[in-house]
Amino acid sequence: MTDVHEWVGVATVALNALAAVIGLVAYLTWTNPKVFWLTLRAGQALVILSCVIGAVLLLDGRALPRLHLVYGLTPILVSFLAEQLRIVTTPTFLEQRGLESGKDVAKLPKVEQEALVASILRRELAVMATSAGVVATLVARAQLWF
């Protein structure tokens, strides 16, 4: 089981690092590729799987270094906080522009609507890509790579 935990950790680092890179490229090119979101969600699922395997190992009596636990569990918190930031992006952007809802956005000229949506999506992508990079770094540290 320890080998499985280690390999899941390697895959977790790889997928989250890949999501971070795809997100950075997408951010710089003003795109929002579906592959980013699929890779990000797969990386998040591996974080959960790794924690479940780690919990099974702990319940089995295996000793894990405290730092491994800290660096292994913190990615869940990072992902959760990033999701919260992503969720408040749209209301924040609307509020900054004095808009109350999507109905107000629909009253804007089409060009302004598209620009607003692009800005919101770009911010969401930036937040989530950054979180993926942080998660990859934390899990790599949990793996004692540095």
Side-chain angles (χ1 to χ4, degrees):
M1 185 70 122
T2 304
D3 289 341
V4 172
H5 185 57
E6 187 173 326
W7 281 106
V8 169
V10 169
T12 303
V13 172
L15 271 177
N16 279 284
L18 180 61
V21 170
I22 293 169
L24 174 62
V25 171
Y27 181 82
L28 294 174
T29 60
W30 282 78
T31 58
N32 194 6
K34 187 175 184 177
V35 69
F36 165 74
W37 295 100
L38 294 172
T39 306
L40 175 75
R41 298 303 182 211
Q44 289 174 331
L46 284 177
V47 167
I48 299 299
L49 178 61
S50 183
C51 288
V52 168
I53 294 170
V56 168
L57 289 172
L58 281 174
L59 291 173
D60 191 39
R62 306 282 172 93
L64 293 173
R66 276 205 191 276
L67 278 181
H68 180 82
L69 295 173
V70 171
Y71 287 113
L73 293 174
T74 304
I76 293 174
L77 179 62
V78 169
S79 294
F80 177 78
L81 292 175
E83 289 293 343
Q84 300 314 301
L85 286 172
R86 185 189 63 77
I87 288 168
V88 300
T89 297
T90 299
T92 301
F93 270 69
L94 293 179
E95 186 179 308
Q96 288 173 346
R97 287 159 180 79
L99 304 170
E100 290 186 27
S101 69
K103 291 178 184 176
D104 292 334
V105 174
K107 295 175 186 175
L108 296 173
K110 187 154 180 82
V111 173
E112 289 183 37
Q113 290 178 29
E114 290 172 357
L116 178 60
V117 170
S119 295
I120 290 169
L121 291 175
R122 190 167 192 245
R123 173 71 58 88
E124 288 182 354
L125 184 128
V127 166
M128 298 312 294
T130 301
S131 76
V134 171
V135 166
T137 303
L138 290 168
V139 176
R141 179 65 179 112
Q143 294 278 86
L144 301 176
W145 292 359
F146 56 90

